[in-house]
Amino acid sequence: MKVRPLPPFVVNKIYAGEVIQSPSSVVKELIENSIDAGATSIAVFIRGSGLSFIKVVDNGEGISREDLPNVIKKNWSSKIRTLEDLERISTMGFRGEALHSIASVSRMHIRSSTDGVEGYEIYVEGGNLMDMRPCACGKGTTVIVEDLFFNVPVRRRFLSSSRSESSRIKNTWLNYVLSHENIEFHLRSSNRIQHYRARSTLDERIEDIYGIKDRQELKEDDLTVILYHISGKAQRIFVNRRPVVDSRITEILGRYDVKNYILFVEVPPALIDVNVHPQKLQIRFSRSLKFYDRLSRFVRGRKTIIRMEENLFTRREERKEESSDKGIFEWKDYIVVSSRTKLLFIHRQRALKKILESILQSSKRLSSTTLPVPMPIKFRINESDRNLLRTYGFDIVELKNSFVLKGIPQIMEGAAPEEVMEVLSAFSDRKGPFDLKRFINRLLSVASRHYRMKSRAIVERLFSMENPGLTSEGEVIIYELPAEKIEEKFM
Ligand SMILES: Nc1ncnc2c1ncn2[C@@H]1O[C@H](COP(=O)(O)OP(=O)(O)OP(=O)(O)O)[C@@H](O)[C@H]1O
Ligand SMILES: [Mg+2]
């Protein structure tokens, strides 16, 4: 048989098939383009299952007259210029093929204006530019896709039922609503209208859609993870706000019994490869990130909590046994609690920090201890800051333009002068609002090094709190060693 090149219209349809598999893929690509255009409002209109009509309207930056005929050309994009750009992608799109693919298999109108004064419209049929003319339109872009796959009858025949396609569209749409809280979203399909107004925090947006049962956060230099445990039924994963499918992540969450969740992962764009899947639904993490190990450790922290709660709160008998005197001793930096079925290692300082944090949260002001010798402070602290500090137990007086510390919070008793100054340094030379959270964190860290509390009291207090297994920063407090694990070693 002789080989010969495929005709271009066949090639285009083959490519289009990879990117555009159904109306929901059109919706996905158009919403992503609107997000990349900086839109603050995106409206989607669907008729039926979307095969006959999809319209997406945004108020983004718009497309100029000269660019308009080019956006439907294969591999024309404004988002990537150099190879380096490709290595740190921060936009949803980058291949310059979505509009081209949609255009090749539909009848498409694009109306756009970059200033809300002058606007243009193109009409494209099966990939061929048929018409371009001025139009009256506001700033932004409107894309209308009609008769999807009109020239690919095979694809039409393989599409799923119209009901399931409608729910797929809604599902796709919801991915962007969930991950872009500052954009207002609108969906009208089969006369049903749904609307979410713009929000300033992700928490609010997630709460708008599902109830949040719990929220776990990991914040490190090169990795942030927010795991929402939700009351609704959903499992969704976002990496740098991009919806992705990742069986290893799903497996890790499943392993630790996390059933309904929304997971957000943020990493520097250079540490992931987003260019591995035709619909950009998968990504690859750089090996140096050790992402899956870190995620697994993070989620495991929660498992400890759940197990602790089950064991120590619901079964009171056992709980009594676990906190009874004979089973508690100190070893290195840990309090070890032994019971018939396990050993618990409790990180003493972290446990204290958590306890002190709850004391701080529940008291209006912290009591102060007078220092035997007042301490001079080398920097200025203004009056309102001094008043604030007083509520935390720092007693500062002004003496002829210098400041003297006369009392410190009782919970910090025993702290060295350098440690006290370390806590107060949050106020030195400050311009603008200071970081209260950081100040409290330092205060708690120093206090937890000195606060005196009996091990038994620590254990009892800790287990009366919510999430005894983790500090509010997500550091592990409790490590649990089941008896079987030890017995295994002697088999
Ligand atoms: N809603 C929009 N507002 C402004 N410009 C747009 C819009 N949609 C598309 N464009 C312009 O058209 C170009 C082509 O869009 P297209 O979706 O085909 O490619 P892309 O987004 O660059 O990459 P990808 O194929 O990965 O989505 C974009 O790079 C952008 O410049
Ligand atoms: Mg795109």
Side-chain angles (χ1 to χ4, degrees), residues 127-140:
N128 302 308
L129 181 64
M130 312 296 279
D131 188 20
M132 172 153 172
R133 60 175 69 175
C135 71
C137 49
K139 180 171 180 264

Side-chain angles (χ1 to χ4, degrees), residues 256-258 301-311:
Y256 295 112
D257 233 17
V258 184
R302 176 175 165 86
K303 192 187 178 200
T304 319
I305 305 166
I306 299 172
R307 299 252 304 268
M308 295 304 307
E309 280 170 353
E310 279 168 5
N311 292 346

Side-chain angles (χ1 to χ4, degrees), residues 29 32-33 36 79 93-94 98 280:
E29 294 298 336
E32 290 193 353
N33 281 347
D36 285 346
K79 297 168 194 174
F94 50 87
K280 293 169 274 185

Side-chain angles (χ1 to χ4, degrees), residues 33 37 58 63 71 77-79 94-99 141 280:
N33 281 347
D58 73 46
I63 304 167
V71 296
S77 170
S78 57
K79 297 168 194 174
F94 50 87
R95 293 187 183 137
E97 63 181 10
L99 288 183
T141 304
K280 293 169 274 185

Side-chain angles (χ1 to χ4, degrees), residues 289-336:
L289 199 59
K290 296 200 167 59
F291 172 73
Y292 296 104
D293 288 346
R294 290 164 78 185
L295 178 73
S296 186
R297 239 174 291 137
F298 167 69
V299 184
R300 189 170 58 209
R302 176 175 165 86
K303 192 187 178 200
T304 319
I305 305 166
I306 299 172
R307 299 252 304 268
M308 295 304 307
E309 280 170 353
E310 279 168 5
N311 292 346
L312 290 146
F313 290 120
T314 52
R315 277 189 266 141
R316 294 200 161 261
E317 306 294 88
E318 199 179 321
R319 180 180 171 188
K320 235 189 244 153
E321 184 198 329
E322 293 202 345
S323 55
S324 78
D325 250 343
K326 63 176 192 305
I328 295 182
F329 59 92
E330 276 163 39
W331 177 72
K332 294 184 174 247
D333 296 332
Y334 311 95
I335 301 169
V336 185

